[in-house]
Amino acid sequence: MFDINNHIAKIADSKIEAVIKPAFIFFENTPYYQISNFPQFEGAGVYALFLKSTINTCYHECLPAMYPIYIGKAAPSGSRQGKKNTVGKTLRNRLQKHLRSIEQAENLNTDDFLCRFMIFQNLATDMISAMESYLIRQYNPLWNSYIDGFGINAPGAGRYNQSPSEWDTLHPGRYYAKQLTGEPRNKAQILTKLQNYPST
């Protein structure tokens, strides 16, 4: 007879919190950097993006200034296959990718964005995905699960018949979004949706 209890890993929340919470506190005290001028570094880990001010943006009425607007991670290549590969500039390259998205957006200014990040080394890199999930639960960042599309990659060959994401509808300009042939989204509906965003 099947018993679900034989499959449940009984790890107390307090034990998980004992590892994750100190890392969260450390993350909240890491320095901010201008996303258009972050330093050269190597490593993998997690990061957050911030709008210094939401004035003159579509987020003015719904998002506090300096509240995380996006949380992400950059794990070592091969980690999903259990391989140990050189980390290199994995985290910095991910931030660079986001910088390009913001640069290409017609109504965003890179000078308005800051980032902070936390690097994991050695066995601690196994915590990267868990830490990203924890940060998303803590902050509920707008560009993660409320407005979709910021972190997506360019569609593969033969997949340009899709609609632009909500993010690309609010912030047109990314080169691949201009090539999408799917039905455009209703920008007015997305703007209305923003007014119900529960940031905290």
Side-chain angles (χ1 to χ4, degrees):
M1 180 180 294
F2 175 75
D3 185 349
I4 189 66
N5 290 304
N6 293 331
H7 303 269
I8 297 174
K10 296 180 175 62
I11 304 173
D13 289 351
S14 59
K15 291 184 177 181
I16 302 295
E17 193 79 2
V19 176
I20 295 291
K21 191 61 180 288
F24 173 68
I25 293 171
F26 178 84
F27 178 79
E28 287 213 308
N29 287 280
T30 54
Y32 293 102
Y33 296 93
Q34 196 78 35
I35 194 172
S36 56
N37 190 33
F38 45 79
Q40 292 286 343
F41 66 93
E42 293 191 353
V46 296
Y47 58 89
L49 304 184
F50 303 81
L51 255 177
K52 290 191 289 187
S53 172
T54 60
I55 296 174
N56 297 324
T57 75
C58 59
Y59 307 114
H60 182 51
E61 298 295 331
C62 63
L63 182 72
M66 292 304 296
Y67 188 82
I69 196 170
Y70 186 77
I71 297 290
K73 71 174 187 292
S77 61
S79 59
R80 287 184 294 179
Q81 293 82 30
K83 300 176 182 178
K84 294 183 178 180
N85 291 335
T86 302
V87 172
K89 296 182 179 180
T90 304
L91 179 50
R92 191 181 192 280
N93 291 343
R94 184 62 54 83
L95 290 170
Q96 192 75 39
K97 172 192 168 186
H98 295 324
L99 171 61
R100 288 193 295 270
S101 289
I102 295 171
E103 284 176 334
Q104 291 171 14
E106 297 171 1
N107 53 7
L108 294 175
N109 188 332
T110 58
D111 291 342
D112 295 332
F113 286 85
L114 299 177
C115 67
R116 70 176 359 155
F117 54 87
M118 177 169 60
I119 295 171
F120 289 88
Q121 297 180 328
N122 304 318
L123 281 177
T125 58
D126 291 343
M127 291 176 53
I128 290 175
S129 292
M131 195 71 229
E132 179 197 35
S133 296
Y134 187 89
L135 292 172
I136 290 173
R137 286 196 300 272
Q138 291 295 315
Y139 295 126
N140 188 31
L142 194 150
W143 285 356
N144 281 88
S145 54
Y146 202 73
I147 297 298
D148 73 83
F150 174 66
I152 62 176
N153 296 314
R159 299 181 60 190
Y160 276 82
N161 59 344
Q162 57 188 284
S163 298
S165 70
E166 291 179 321
W167 192 89
D168 287 294
T169 302
L170 292 176
H171 307 295
R174 285 199 285 202
Y175 75 94
Y176 55 82
K178 295 177 180 179
Q179 301 174 43
L180 298 177
T181 59
E183 183 177 352
R185 295 178 186 254
N186 188 313
K187 183 176 180 180
Q189 289 182 355
I190 301 172
L191 290 172
T192 299
K193 176 182 175 181
L194 281 177
Q195 304 312 309
N196 297 317
Y197 167 63
S199 62
T200 56

